Amino acid sequence: PDPYHSSPSATAKPSPTSRPSPTPTRSTSASTIVPWWPLDADACRLGWQRRSSGTTAELTSIDFVGADGWAVGEYGAVLATTDGGATWKAEASGYHGTLSDVVFVDARHGWATNENPPYAARVLATGDGGATWQSQLTLKGFLIAIAAVDASHAWAVGDDRSGGCIVATSDGRTWHRQNPGRCNFITDVSFVDPEHGWAVRDKGIVTTSDGGVTST
């Protein structure tokens, strides 16, 4: 007989040992904690590991291109790694406010934005992998997020104190405003190529298929 597929007798009583084990639950005891998920030794070994950043600044954003990565944060902090995040070194942004977002398109070209008054909103750019940064744009308000698809095309979003704003560059140097429609705040932006992108605002999503010239 097949011990895995044989049917029990209709008159047979279920064995007390055949009852299914109760679903594991979290214990409410302070001294004993029973995890509700199955323990997996391999999964535990594949968890996150702490890395020393070498800074006490609060970090707000990170971006990688292959093994090269950059992180930014308060006090104009910029950190860079070339070994996949194993070690980090500080770069000088020349800015003293909080940097809110960073994006790189290759190992050399990247941008960062800032988010906090009373400093004016800025877009900072680098062409040497973060070793030096230059201010490309200054406006009233703050910029919270930035996206880029190549060394020429990038978009930054936020609020210019009169409403939500989007600024863009198509040459990697000069920036101009785009019209996202009436809204109070734009929180993030994403592009997949120089023409097709999306932004989220306080009451929904806007999209463009011409690089932001028009949006719906």
Side-chain angles (χ1 to χ4, degrees), residues 131-147:
T132 60
W133 295 79
Q134 299 80 38
S135 176
Q136 290 187 336
L137 173 71
T138 302
L139 57 81
K140 293 181 179 180
F142 53 93
L143 295 171
I144 192 70
I146 192 165

Side-chain angles (χ1 to χ4, degrees), residues 37-45:
W37 63 91
L39 294 178
D40 186 332
D42 290 333
C44 292
R45 287 195 293 268

Side-chain angles (χ1 to χ4, degrees), residues 49-89:
Q49 298 178 350
R50 184 182 295 272
R51 290 284 186 255
S52 175
S53 66
T55 181
T56 58
E58 180 180 343
L59 300 176
T60 58
S61 181
I62 192 168
D63 194 35
F64 268 81
V65 177
D68 298 313
W70 300 264
V72 299
E74 63 179 354
Y75 311 124
V78 176
L79 306 176
T81 179
T82 57
D83 54 14
T87 59
W88 295 82
K89 66 176 182 177

Side-chain angles (χ1 to χ4, degrees), residues 74-128:
E74 63 179 354
Y75 311 124
V78 176
L79 306 176
T81 179
T82 57
D83 54 14
T87 59
W88 295 82
K89 66 176 182 177
E91 305 284 5
S93 69
Y95 181 68
H96 301 292
T98 296
L99 297 175
S100 57
D101 201 9
V102 63
V103 64
F104 273 74
V105 294
D106 55 42
R108 297 183 60 82
H109 298 90
W111 293 269
T113 55
N114 79 297
E115 64 173 327
N116 62 319
Y119 300 100
R122 294 177 185 270
V123 174
L124 304 179
T126 180
D128 54 15

Side-chain angles (χ1 to χ4, degrees), residues 121 139-143 157-165 184-186:
L139 57 81
K140 293 181 179 180
F142 53 93
L143 295 171
V157 300
D159 190 305
D160 64 0
R161 298 183 181 175
S162 64
C165 72
N184 294 328
F185 188 68
I186 300 179

Side-chain angles (χ1 to χ4, degrees), residues 171-186:
D171 61 10
R173 298 182 302 276
T174 56
W175 293 75
H176 57 275
R177 292 175 183 263
Q178 296 184 332
N179 181 15
R182 186 175 180 180
C183 59
N184 294 328
F185 188 68
I186 300 179

